[in-house]
Structures are given as C-alpha cells and as structure tokens.
C-alpha cells in the first residue's frame, strides 16, 4: 500500500490516526497526573478532528454531530471534571512512579505490532480508504488497558479507561463511518454517567484507605495468607 | 406491543420515582408494587408471544422471540420476589444503622434502574443498545455494591467497575467489528446492528471478521458472565453488596450476559458454518466449551476454601454459569434445551439461596462461615430453607437442577463422551465443597445468645416449589416454550 495513492483528505486522516496513537504513548509515559489528563484531552480533540474529517470525506452529515459530541465530552467536559476532582483531592502536583518505564514502552510497541497482525485479514477486505486505522484503534484500546495495568493511581486508571473508550469510538468512526446515532448517544450517556460515578468513587476510596493508591485496596484476597498479610499491613500503617 | 412498552416503562418510571421518594417505608412497598406491575406486563407479553410468535416492533428497535421472552418473564419474576424480600431486609439494615435514608433512596431507585437495564438488554433488537444497557446495568449496581461504605465494599465496587468496564469495552470493539462486516452486506447502514437484519444475512458475512468479533464479544460479555479467568470481580461484588443485590446479580445479571453471548453466537455460527474457506467452522462452540469447562472446574475447587458464605455461593454461581456456557457451546438440541432449563432453575434456586443467606447472616450477625452455626435450632424455617436450597443447587433429585444437569450429561455423552467424566468429577467436587461448609452451619451447636429474626420465607418457598415442580414435570407450555427457543438457537427442536 503506497501512501501516495491516497487522496489528501485520506492522508490527513492517517496522520491524525498516527497522532492519536502517539497521544496514547504519551499517556503511558506521562507520570504527572495533571499532564496525563491534558494528554487525554488532546487525544479526545484529535479523535473529534478525525471524526469531522471523515464526515467531510464521506459526506456523512450525522458524523458532524458525533464530532461535536466527542469534542464536548472527551476533550472538554470529562477532562474538566477530572481536573476539578484532582484539584479538589489535592493531588494535582503528585507524580506517580511507574515501575520499569522502558519495559512498559517496549510492551506498548509489541502491542501495536500485535494489533497490526490481528487486523491484517480485516484490512484486506476493507472497502474504505482508511485502512490501517482499525489496527491503530485496536492499539489505542490495548494501550489504554496497559495503562490501567501499570498504574496504581485511581485517577490515572480512569484516564486509561477513558482512553480505551476513545479507541473504541475511533474504531467505529474510521472503519464504519460511525455507529447508528442512537447507539452513539447511548454510549456517550454511559461514559458520562461513568465519569460521575468515578468521581464519587475517588472520594469513597480516599475515605476508606486515605489515599488513591488502589494497590492498597487488598482486603478481599482469595488466600488466607495474603489476607493475614494485608491485615498486618494495615496494623503496621496505623502505628 | 403495549405489553412490551409497559414492561419497560414501569421500571423506568420506578427509577425516577424512587429517586424522589424520601420515606423509606413507602419506598419499600412501592418497589414491590412496581415490580408486580412489571411482572404482570411481562406475563401479558409472554402470553402474546407464545400465541402469535415473534414480535418485531414497528421501528425494528425491539425484537421478542421465544428465547428472550422467557428470560424477560423470569427477570420480572425474580425481580418481584427479591423486592418482597428486600423490603423487610433493608428496613432491618436501616434499623441496624448500616445504611441511612439517603442511601435507601439510592438503593430503591437503582434497584428499579437495574431491572430496567436488564429488561432493555433482553428486549432490544439492536446490538449496540444491548451493549449500552449491559454497561448501564454495571453503572446501576456499582454504587449499590459500595452501599455500606466499608473499606471492603468500596474495594469490591471499584474492582467490579474497573474489571467489568474494561471487559465490556472489548465487547464494544466486537460490536464495532460486527457492524463493520455487516456494512458490506446491508444496503442501509443503520440496519447494520439490528439482530434480525444480521441474522438474515449471516451466511454472507465475512467469516474472518466475524470470528475476530466473536472473540472480543466473548471476552467482553464473558467478563460479566463471570467466566474464569475473568471472574475476579464477581465474588467480591456479590459478597459485599446488600443481599437482595446479590440475589439479583447472581440470579439475573449473569443470565442476561450469557444471553448476549448466545445471541452473538447465533450470528457468528451462521457466518462460519456457511463459509467453505474458513478453517474452524466450530470456533464459537469450541471456545465456549473451553471457557465454560474451565470456569466450572476452577469455581468448584474454589468452593472448598471459602470463608464467607456469600462468597461461597458466588463461586457456585460461576460454576453453574460455566456449565451453561459449556452446554451452549456443545450445541445440539438436547444440550441447548438443558442449558435453557438450567438457566431458569439456577436463577430461581440461587436467588432463593441468597434470600435465605440474608436471613442467616442477620441471625448470626456475620457472613463468616465459621461463625454461622446451628441455624435449624435457632430458626427452623431458615435452616431448612438453606439446606433444601443447597440440596437443590447441588443437583439432588427431585429438584429441577438435577433434571437439567442430567440432560446436559446425556448430551455430553452423545457428542463428547470423554468430557462426561470431567463433568461428573466437577459436579462431585462442587457438591463436596458446598456440603462441607453447609453441614456445620445448619446442624452445628447453636452459639449462645442467638435469636430468631423476623424472616419472610415466602419468596424462598415459592422459588423452591417451582424448582421442585420443574424437576418432577415440566409443564407443557413451558416445555413448548423451551423447545421453540431451542429451535431458534440450533435450528432443530427437541420435542
């Protein structure tokens, strides 16, 4: 596949797709909580831009509404809510330690290669010009999962979760020109409610363990030994 | 049509109404009244579908056939009996000070909201809306899991939220892929997520894309079914929330998630088995059998080491969901008929067990198995209820679970004889795991100062009688119903 065979608009979509993937990597690398929320907002804006561009290229007017919805929700409202929560919880300046950052980055690269491998048979029959975007959106989903696995801060886990949602939405837009409007609205509604509930949880978690480090949520372990260890931990900390 | 709209309208109205009602006593009664109305509407709907066949709403937004209508009726029924149990139970929790009146408001509102999302998931024809309502069910219940605000319950709710959220995101990706492969076949893009439309063109859908989509959908909805190794959230969420929630989560939510998997399997099977080039025509069935069997065995083993009574029964739910997934994967009329029956009897039995467990924990004032003793002496109704419930769930004749497990074993013997041994071993392990904990709880010496509590055993009695009835003789209309659903899923009827 030669890049010069595409029209200018299609090339632009590919560039935006690449930038979305890049923003996923920067989310993974970003250790400051505030900065990762900003990176997430940029990703949302990029997805919205891609949606608008696809709407223009494919002449699908309902996609303009989706683009606006994405911009409002993913680039403005949700980052703003998270930002406010972070300020309110007084963790805005906190820096998270990521264990083995280099390994995480390498793992992320492997995941991208894996997505391309899975998407290979799918790409062959795509009728749309925007081809390797399926692989990219799958990578964004997987990188979001990787971020949730490697982070221990509740807020950054949520950012990872939302970035997965970005990947899913991106997949729907670039591979199929968006889902039916009613489904998109439903998904947007779910995401919004989820954000609010996440906000409630931040306070509940902090109230119960006086921190947002979810690794310390370890009371419900399956084995007796680890439960005993957890209790000893709690006892040790209260001293 | 009216019956369907009413079935959905009552719980939706209930969600909004309950959010406004500040008086807890009134809310408890209203919860029962609304659930009764929902059940009546769903019974009317079931009658209609039974007489006239499948029902497609004018906008093609809802589709009711033999497969989902019985689940709609079952959901409404268990919703009502659990509401009857929940009223005195939650009043007791309020009196103990574990919840305040604001949280009771949240609880009642979300109870109805949960019923609404599940009924919507069952009745919708649109796979996208199916996803939205499955996620909605998580959102409605997640704050209920942390209702008591203990560190354990907050942890359980967080785990539930994150794991189910991540899991179900995979299902959305699978849905997008389905839509993608349908877009090439259907003239109108908006029809691409309608189950009826997809089912019509299933044979022409691309098998490669469909198989990738199925893997994502199985992982996604499988997380909600509680399939091992994606089950970690389930015992926590079921054990830390209020007991009525455990009853509906175990009895209903898992069914609805499995329903979603089977619906999708019907589409993917259509694509794979009509394709001449695809290498694994039985991919869906094989995957479901593998996941199902693994869950069945692992959960059976985990039963042995549980220390919390509600956790133990959540593992038992995983075990039974594994068995059903296995049976749907096995395919064929006999296995499918057995799986449908098993879905019904498991829901009824498991919710009745959770109701009894709720009373038992009130008697013993703890959920720790080691401290629940001598239930039969303290309160015979609760003790016997628990004993009979566990006997039923372990698959003792003459209860219905025995019948369905017997059918499943027969079906396995027909098509995969060597797996029968594994299934029998799994059943024996689970049986031992349940009874080693049950025996001292029911018969053991009664601790001092243990008093009977005010218990409403009516839901338990009704459920167990129904399970008994299904075990002795399945009523003709119900058998006909299951047969129609089997015909839909496998293409061949049993009767």
């Amino acid at each position: 596949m030669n890049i010069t065979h595409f029209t200018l608009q299609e090339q632009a979509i590919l560039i935006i797709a690449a930038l979305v993937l890049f923003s996923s990597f920067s989310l993974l690398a970003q250790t400051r909580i505030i900065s990762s929320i900003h990176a997430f907002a940029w990703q949302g804006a990029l997805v919205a831009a891609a949606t608008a561009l696809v709407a223009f290229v494919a002449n699908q007017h309902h996609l303009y509404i989706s683009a606006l919805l994405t911009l409002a929700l993913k680039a403005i409202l949700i980052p703003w809510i998270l930002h406010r929560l972070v300020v309110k919880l007084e963790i805005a300046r906190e820096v998270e330690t990521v264990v083995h950052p280099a390994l995480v980055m390498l793992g992320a690269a492997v995941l991208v290669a894996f997505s391309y491998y899975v998407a290979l048979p799918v790409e062959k029959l795509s009728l749309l010009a925007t081809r390797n975007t399926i692989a990219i959106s799958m990578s964004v989903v997987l990188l979001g999962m990787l971020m949730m696995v490697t982070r221990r801060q509740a807020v950054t886990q949520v950012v990872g979760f939302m970035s997965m949602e970005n990947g899913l939405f991106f997949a729907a837009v670039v591979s199929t020109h968006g889902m039916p409007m009613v489904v998109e609205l439903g998904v947007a509604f779910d995401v919004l409610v989820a954000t609010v509930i996440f906000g409630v949880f931040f306070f509940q978690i902090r109230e119960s363990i006086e921190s947002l480090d979810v690794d310390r949520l370890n009371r419900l372990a399956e084995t007796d030994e680890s439960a005993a260890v957890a209790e000893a931990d709690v006892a040790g900390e209260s001293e | 049509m009216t019956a369907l709209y009413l079935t959905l309208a009552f719980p939706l109205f209930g969600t909004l109404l309950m959010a406004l009602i500040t008086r807890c006593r009134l809310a408890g009664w209203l919860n029962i009244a609304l659930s009764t109305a929902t059940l009546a509407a769903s019974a009317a709907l079931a009658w209609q579908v039974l007489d006239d066949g499948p029902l497609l709403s004018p906008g093609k937004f809802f589709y009711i056939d033999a497969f989902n209508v019985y689940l709609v009726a079952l959901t409404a029924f268990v919703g009502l009996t659990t509401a009857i149990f929940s009223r005195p139970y939650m009043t007791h929790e309020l009196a103990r000070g574990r919840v305040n009146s604001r949280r009771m408001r949240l609880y009642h509102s979300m109870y109805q909201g949960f019923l609404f999302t599940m009924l919507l998931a069952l009745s919708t024809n649109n796979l996208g809306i199916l996803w939205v309502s499955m996620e909605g069910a998580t959102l409605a219940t997640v704050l209920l899991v942390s209702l008591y605000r203990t560190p354990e319950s907050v942890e359980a709710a967080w785990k539930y939220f994150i794991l189910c959220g991540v899991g179900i995101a995979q299902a959305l990706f699978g849905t997008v892929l389905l839509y993608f492969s349908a877009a090439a076949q259907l003239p109108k893009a908006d029809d691409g997520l309608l189950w009826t439309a997809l089912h019509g063109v299933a044979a022409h859908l691309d098998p490669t894309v469909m198989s990738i989509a199925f893997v994502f959908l199985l992982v996604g909805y499988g997380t909600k079914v509680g399939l091992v190794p994606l089950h970690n959230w389930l015992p926590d969420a079921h054990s830390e929330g209020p007991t009525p929630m455990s009853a509906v989560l175990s009895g209903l939510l898992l069914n609805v998630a499995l329903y979603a998997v089977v619906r999708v399997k019907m589409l993917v099977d259509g694509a794979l088995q009509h394709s001449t080039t695809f290498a694994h025509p039985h991919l869906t069935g094989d995957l479901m059998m593998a996941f199902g069997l693994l869950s069945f065995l692992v959960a059976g083993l985990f039963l042995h080491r549980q220390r919390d009574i509600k956790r133990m029964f959540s593992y038992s739910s995983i075990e039974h969901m594994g068995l059903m997934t296995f049976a749907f994967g096995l395919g064929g009329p006999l296995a499918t008929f057995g799986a449908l029956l098993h879905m019904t009897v498991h829901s009824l039995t498991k919710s009745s067990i959770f109701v009894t467990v709720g009373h038992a924990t009130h008697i013993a004032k703890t959920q720790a198995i080691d401290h629940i003793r001598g239930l039969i002496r303290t309160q015979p109704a609760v003790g016997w209820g628990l004993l009979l419930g566990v006997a039923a769930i372990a698959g003792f004749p003459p209860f219905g679970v025995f019948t369905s497990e017997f059918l499943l074993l027969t079906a396995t013997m027909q098509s995969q004889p060597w797996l029968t041994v594994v299934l029998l071993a799994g059943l024996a392990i689970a049986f031992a795991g349940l009874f080693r904990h049950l025996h001292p709880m029911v018969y053991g010496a009664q601790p001092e100062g243990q008093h009977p509590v005010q218990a409403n055993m009516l839901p338990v009695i009704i459920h167990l009688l129904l399970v008994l009835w299904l075990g002795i003789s399945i009523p003709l209309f119900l058998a006909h119903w299951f047969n129609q659903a089997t015909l839909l899923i496998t293409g061949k009827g049993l009767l």
Side-chain angles (χ1 to χ4, degrees), chain A residues 1-15 53-54 56-58 128-131:
Chain A
M1 152 169 63
N2 195 330
I3 193 107
T4 49
H5 291 168
F6 292 132
T7 63
L8 271 178
Q9 289 96 339
E10 285 163 353
Q11 290 183 31
I13 291 175
L14 277 183
I15 289 174
L53 207 54
V54 171
F56 178 71
V57 173
L128 300 158
T130 46
R131 282 188 164 185

Side-chain angles (χ1 to χ4, degrees), chain B residues 68 105 131 208 221 286-287 294 301 350 354 357 367-368 443 449:
Chain B
N68 53 11
R105 225 163 90 194
W131 185 88
T208 320
Y221 291 131
D286 292 345
L287 274 177
L294 183 70
L301 287 170
K350 192 49 68 65
F354 271 112
V357 164
Q367 283 179 210
Y443 289 114

